[in-house]
Amino acid sequence: MSGNIQLLSDTLAAAKAAGRSALIAYLPAGFPTVDGGIEAIKAAFEGGADVVEVGLPHSDPVLDGPVIQTADDIALRGGVKIADVMRTVRETYEATGKPVLVMTYWNPIDRYGVERFTAELAEAGGAGCILPDLPVQESALWREHAEKQGLATVFVVAPSSKDARLAEITAAGSGFVYAASLMGVTGTRESVGAQAQDLVERTRAAGAGAALPVCVGLGVSNAEQAAEVASFADGVIVGSAFVKRMLDAPDDKAGIEGVRALAGELAKGVRRQA
């Protein structure tokens, strides 16, 4: 089975054709349990997410703030494995028919084996991978196997990225570019800020030939912020706010309903631009 990069591209293009940004949700695999995580991701889709990123819990999550670190710790203490991440991708894709990516640091893939990881992700129906700490210059082996398996390679750019770096990333990446709206770790913010719009504009200018969609993450937590980011980005990425709904809920069922409700609120936010 080939991976679903085309489904990802078609989904982002359909949102654009409808005059709106795509809503991209993030939730870690294995949180609060493997089964509970699968149900939460389904709920995010049912609430209105267009794409979901499944986090591969890692013991040293350098990009993640305290909320996602807490969820990762719960998943790791629960014994989550890469096989559980693949199962999460498979079951959510089969249930929804929508694009599911994995967001992971490089070390777990390197230890697992690039060829094995990409083959299993494609077989599970995955659309690709977001690799926040893999330098483009060191990504040739990954990209070779990802392309062979029909998987997107999504790189992360930041406000500190120079224009030459942005050009290099947009040329090498596929699916979309993940624009980190601010310097620092994941988490909700009072304001997403003008830095994000400037970064989107610079990334688009740098990758004019590739025309990859540019999706913004880090800091978006409510419908108002989603609408703000949707006014200039191709996609709005929300992670910590979903995880917080789960952490703050009195039980797993309430947490899953909280995820569904938040996805609905954010979906309305991205559609205010339509």
Side-chain angles (χ1 to χ4, degrees), residues 36-87:
I38 290 168
E39 291 308 309
I41 292 166
K42 288 181 190 174
F45 275 129
E46 289 160 5
D50 298 290
V51 179
V52 168
E53 304 170 7
V54 176
L56 194 160
H58 187 47
S59 55
D60 187 23
V62 291
L63 185 73
D64 296 316
V67 170
I68 291 175
Q69 283 186 24
T70 299
D72 277 5
D73 186 54
I74 290 168
L76 290 167
R77 283 191 280 114
V80 71
K81 302 284 191 292
I82 288 180
D84 299 312
V85 176
M86 298 299 178
R87 181 188 151 209

Side-chain angles (χ1 to χ4, degrees), residues 94-107:
E94 287 177 351
T96 65
K98 294 184 178 179
V100 183
L101 299 118
V102 168
M103 186 165 188
T104 178
Y105 296 99
W106 180 246
N107 189 43

Side-chain angles (χ1 to χ4, degrees), residues 41-244:
I41 292 166
K42 288 181 190 174
F45 275 129
E46 289 160 5
D50 298 290
V51 179
V52 168
E53 304 170 7
V54 176
L56 194 160
H58 187 47
S59 55
D60 187 23
V62 291
L63 185 73
D64 296 316
V67 170
I68 291 175
Q69 283 186 24
T70 299
D72 277 5
D73 186 54
I74 290 168
L76 290 167
R77 283 191 280 114
V80 71
K81 302 284 191 292
I82 288 180
D84 299 312
V85 176
M86 298 299 178
R87 181 188 151 209
T88 299
V89 171
R90 177 181 292 104
E91 293 193 14
T92 51
Y93 168 65
E94 287 177 351
T96 65
K98 294 184 178 179
V100 183
L101 299 118
V102 168
M103 186 165 188
T104 178
Y105 296 99
W106 180 246
N107 189 43
I109 295 178
D110 193 36
R111 282 168 40 206
Y112 197 72
V114 175
E115 187 169 6
R116 179 185 177 196
F117 189 95
T118 52
E120 290 184 9
L121 183 55
E123 192 275 329
C129 241
I130 300 163
L131 301 157
D133 65 340
L134 177 63
V136 177
Q137 314 85 282
E138 297 172 22
S139 67
L141 178 66
W142 164 267
R143 287 188 286 126
E144 175 193 338
H145 286 288
E147 189 173 344
K148 185 169 102 176
Q149 296 290 351
L151 298 168
T153 297
V154 179
F155 290 113
V156 178
V157 298
S160 59
S161 301
K162 306 294 185 199
D163 290 350
R165 173 87 171 153
L166 294 177
E168 190 179 12
I169 285 171
T170 52
S174 55
F176 63 90
V177 177
Y178 186 127
S181 65
L182 36 79
M183 301 303 293
V185 297
T186 59
T188 60
R189 300 292 194 279
E190 292 299 315
S191 170
V192 179
Q195 269 191 325
Q197 185 167 359
D198 177 65
L199 178 58
V200 169
E201 289 169 359
R202 289 198 301 118
T203 304
R204 283 185 179 142
L212 278 182
V214 183
C215 303
V216 170
L218 270 67
V220 178
S221 61
N222 57 47
E224 288 68 33
Q225 290 173 335
E228 177 193 351
V229 173
S231 69
F232 58 79
D234 299 299
V236 179
I237 303 169
V238 181
S240 295
F242 281 111
V243 175
K244 194 167 188 307

